[in-house]
Amino acid sequence: MAQDQLNSKIVVIGGSAGSLEALLDLLPALRVDLDIPIVIVMHRKTAPGSPLVDVLAIKSSLPVCEVEEKEPVKNGHIYIAPADYHLLFEADHTFSLDVSEKVNYSRPSIDVAFESAAEVYSDGLTGILLSGANADGTHGLKVIGELGGVTIAQDPDTAEISYMPEHAINNHVVHHIMNVQQLAVYINSL
Amino acid sequence: MEILITDKQLDEVLEDVFDVYGYDFKSYAKASMHRRINRLIAIDKFPSFTEFRYRIRTDKNYFHRFVEEITVNVTEMFRDPAFFTALRTEVLPAIATKPFIRIWHAGCSTGEEVYSTAILLKEANMLHKTLIYATDLNPDVVEKAKSGIFQLDRMKQYSENYIASGGKADFSSYYTAKYDRVIFNEELKKRMIFATHNLVSDGSFNEFQLILCRNVLIYFDKDLQQKVFDLFDKSLDSLGFLALGTKETLRFSPFIGRFRQLDKMKIWRKIS
Ligand SMILES: C[S@@+](CC[C@H](N)C(=O)[O-])C[C@H]1O[C@@H](n2cnc3c(N)ncnc32)[C@H](O)[C@@H]1O
């Protein structure tokens, strides 16, 4: 799938417990004219009308919205994966949703989104794994690396819950370890 | 490194499946197909894509497994309780005056949703004059749905969903538990008709006051979605209701002008 794709860039961020804090610091630090899509896959409660999108939108000067199925992945937008669906990427750069079995006790699963994004965006993809108490994301980062993308874990010393980024680091699937300020600088340079 | 099939290989398998077995998955959204097939190749330990492709072409039993595994059958009772609240308080009262009611669950999977609707109908005192048609392309899930037998250990969650949707009765009065299974009451089952029906290739077969098709269209590409909306439009009574999954929409369809959406819900009513 990767071969025939344009070389477009995208950042996919996976987070679990404790990652909201990191995002609330990261989003305001992103430049207003950022010209790539940012996609956030967060484990969360399935309560309808969950205020996650609103909470993040307040902190961001870029438009923040929950993913709708078959919607085009647009530059300069911040997308949030909806609760209770896996998030997938189509080769024509649109989103798909999927209600299949939970992966790592999670739906959305970060592994699922990372793997699907890697198949479509290959070396245009940066995968970032934030705070969490789950092993989700490690396998996805591995696939991103194998398909030519860049993998980053939040510095476990700065993460509310270090398990998730640490798990990825210990499995040798992480290219860079960064705190939130460094993440912002990195994304702003893309 | 695991095998990840290319777009071209995916097209080849889907062509084979269409040529040999007549099942048309070519207009399904590709990303989920990729993932399901990659996963199937891994769990069945195929050494190469070529061997996987050969097996599907030549082994009918394996083709059944293929259909079972690439379609996503995950479902639950009273999934999205707020949706069932809206069915209970807005949709059922609007069709209750009809002397006879037909409801269609398209893509019913193993039937959890169908039994949920039947319970609402019973509580609204409408079940005796309703027939619920429940269809899916996969004959195995249709058989399971028909049996009305579900895992006992799921009942706690379902009972919570039922209560969250506004259910006031004792949920366990709707089934009988035996070992690790439960069987739903004959009274509910009596009003259900199960059949295989493929939304891609089969046509309209009746007129309905309510069609539910939830979490099926997310697996179709936009053109196929339109085709299926057309089928639903043809199969709906003049003031009938169409219910979709929480993340699905009729919004981008040319039919939207003839439907009115219920407040904040993925339920549309035909207005002409
Ligand atoms: C995720 S389940 C949805 C179950 C239930 N409606 C719910 O929302 O919980 C999707 C179902 O759609 C069925 N399906 C997929 N393609 C179909 C087609 N072309 N025609 C009929 N059913 C189809 C699958 O077999 C599967 O059982």
Side-chain angles (χ1 to χ4, degrees):
Chain A
M1 173 138 58
Q3 309 83 290
D4 35 7
Q5 271 311 309
L6 296 172
N7 211 351
S8 32
K9 289 183 185 170
I10 187 168
V11 174
V12 182
I13 303 176
S16 190
S19 64
L20 184 60
E21 289 72 5
L23 288 169
L24 292 176
D25 289 340
L26 176 65
L27 296 195
L30 297 180
R31 61 187 167 94
V32 205
D33 55 349
L34 194 69
D35 203 24
I36 53 169
I38 310 266
V39 181
I40 298 171
V41 181
M42 241 174 105
H43 297 161
R44 52 165 158 151
K45 294 255 164 28
T46 57
S50 134
L52 180 64
V53 173
D54 301 339
V55 170
L56 294 177
I58 294 168
K59 288 286 179 174
S60 167
S61 39
L62 296 162
V64 179
C65 45
E66 189 168 280
V67 169
E68 296 288 334
E69 68 108 22
K70 305 286 159 23
E71 176 183 28
V73 184
K74 288 192 291 245
N75 291 341
H77 284 64
I78 298 177
Y79 294 98
I80 316 293
D84 221 16
Y85 288 84
H86 290 305
L87 182 66
L88 302 173
F89 296 80
E90 300 289 346
D92 65 356
H93 296 184
T94 55
F95 290 108
S96 269
L97 299 174
D98 165 30
V99 292
S100 63
E101 303 76 8
K102 291 182 178 180
V103 173
N104 304 316
Y105 313 100
S106 311
R107 190 174 51 217
S109 145
I110 301 166
D111 276 344
V112 170
F114 278 174
E115 288 161 26
S116 175
E119 280 196 74
V120 171
Y121 290 91
S122 56
D123 60 357
L125 169 61
T126 302
I128 300 175
L129 195 59
L130 302 175
S131 164
N134 187 303
D136 201 13
T138 294
H139 186 260
L141 287 183
K142 175 164 173 279
V143 176
I144 293 176
E146 285 169 352
L147 296 180
V150 176
T151 62
I152 305 176
Q154 183 181 5
D155 182 348
D157 292 341
T158 69
E160 285 257 313
I161 299 178
S162 60
Y163 183 86
M164 201 160 79
E166 217 156 56
H167 188 269
I169 294 165
N170 294 340
N171 277 280
H172 311 290
V173 296
V174 173
H175 296 138
H176 307 287
I177 299 171
M178 296 184 185
N179 64 30
V180 172
Q181 286 70 36
Q182 293 165 319
L183 280 175
V185 171
Y186 182 91
I187 296 173
N188 284 334
S189 73
L190 287 173
Chain B
M1 204 164 136
E2 61 235 86
I3 298 173
L4 300 173
I5 62 164
T6 64
D7 278 353
K8 188 163 155 289
Q9 291 172 327
L10 175 61
D11 290 343
E12 286 166 1
V13 180
L14 300 184
E15 278 298 336
D16 284 357
V17 162
F18 185 57
D19 289 348
V20 181
Y21 303 101
Y23 276 77
D24 188 354
F25 292 109
K26 291 182 288 183
S27 308
Y28 279 52
K30 300 276 186 270
S32 168
M33 282 282 160
H34 266 278
R35 178 163 175 260
R36 302 299 286 184
I37 292 179
N38 289 340
R39 175 177 161 275
L40 187 59
I41 290 176
I43 53 184
D44 288 348
K45 301 197 170 62
F46 283 97
S48 70
F49 168 74
T50 315
E51 279 167 72
F52 173 70
R53 184 178 173 193
Y54 179 78
R55 180 80 182 271
I56 291 176
R57 281 196 72 101
T58 55
D59 181 347
K60 189 160 194 258
N61 289 328
Y62 192 74
F63 168 70
H64 283 299
R65 173 165 170 77
F66 173 83
V67 172
E68 178 99 308
E69 290 297 321
I70 58 157
T71 55
V72 170
N73 304 315
V74 174
T75 183
E76 56 184 78
M77 290 189 78
F78 297 98
R79 182 186 177 143
D80 315 316
F83 167 77
F84 283 92
T85 308
L87 265 196
R88 197 192 281 278
T89 58
E90 295 182 53
V91 177
L92 296 191
I95 59 178
T97 52
K98 299 258 174 194
F100 186 71
I101 299 162
R102 283 194 197 86
I103 296 177
W104 179 17
H105 274 276
C108 67
S109 189
T110 41
E112 283 79 345
E113 219 181 41
V114 186
Y115 288 84
S116 309
T117 305
I119 288 172
L120 295 192
L121 287 162
K122 162 124 179 74
E123 294 183 356
N125 199 19
M126 294 162 65
L127 185 62
H128 62 282
K129 59 170 180 175
T130 305
L131 275 183
I132 311 178
Y133 294 73
T135 64
D136 200 283
L137 106 162
N138 179 348
D140 297 335
V141 293
V142 173
E143 276 311 307
K144 279 191 196 141
K146 200 189 282 184
S147 75
I149 296 172
F150 300 110
Q151 295 293 333
L152 177 63
D153 60 12
R154 302 301 310 273
M155 292 303 135
K156 183 171 175 291
Q157 174 73 52
Y158 294 172
S159 166
E160 286 166 15
N161 288 357
Y162 165 76
I163 292 165
S165 80
K168 302 260 185 310
D170 173 6
F171 185 65
S172 64
S173 69
Y174 290 112
Y175 59 78
T176 311
K178 199 166 182 192
Y179 307 113
D180 57 347
R181 306 283 173 88
V182 307
I183 180 155
F184 274 79
N185 296 350
E186 194 55 37
E187 184 190 9
L188 302 176
K189 285 205 270 181
K190 245 183 7 211
R191 309 305 301 171
M192 301 173 184
I193 296 171
F194 294 94
T196 55
H197 178 282
N198 189 336
L199 290 166
V200 178
S201 47
D202 295 332
S204 177
F205 59 94
N206 221 322
E207 275 219 343
F208 300 93
Q209 281 70 49
L210 166 63
I211 297 177
L212 303 99
C213 183
R214 305 179 66 227
N215 299 311
V216 181
L217 296 170
I218 46 175
Y219 296 104
F220 295 174
D221 73 16
K222 279 205 154 145
D223 292 340
L224 181 55
Q225 290 183 349
Q226 278 325 309
K227 221 184 108 181
V228 175
F229 285 142
D230 189 40
L231 170 67
F232 290 159
D233 188 39
K234 282 201 188 84
S235 311
L236 269 180
D237 204 11
S238 50
L239 289 171
F241 290 87
L242 174 64
L244 304 178
T246 353
K247 297 303 291 181
E248 293 162 329
T249 183
L250 196 62
R251 194 168 64 228
F252 304 111
S253 152
F255 304 127
I256 187 67
R258 281 192 277 132
F259 284 83
R260 188 174 50 78
Q261 186 171 5
L262 261 62
D263 193 30
K264 287 195 201 140
M265 282 290 143
K266 293 303 174 86
I267 304 176
W268 285 263
R269 185 169 201 184
K270 210 165 159 176
I271 45 179
S272 69

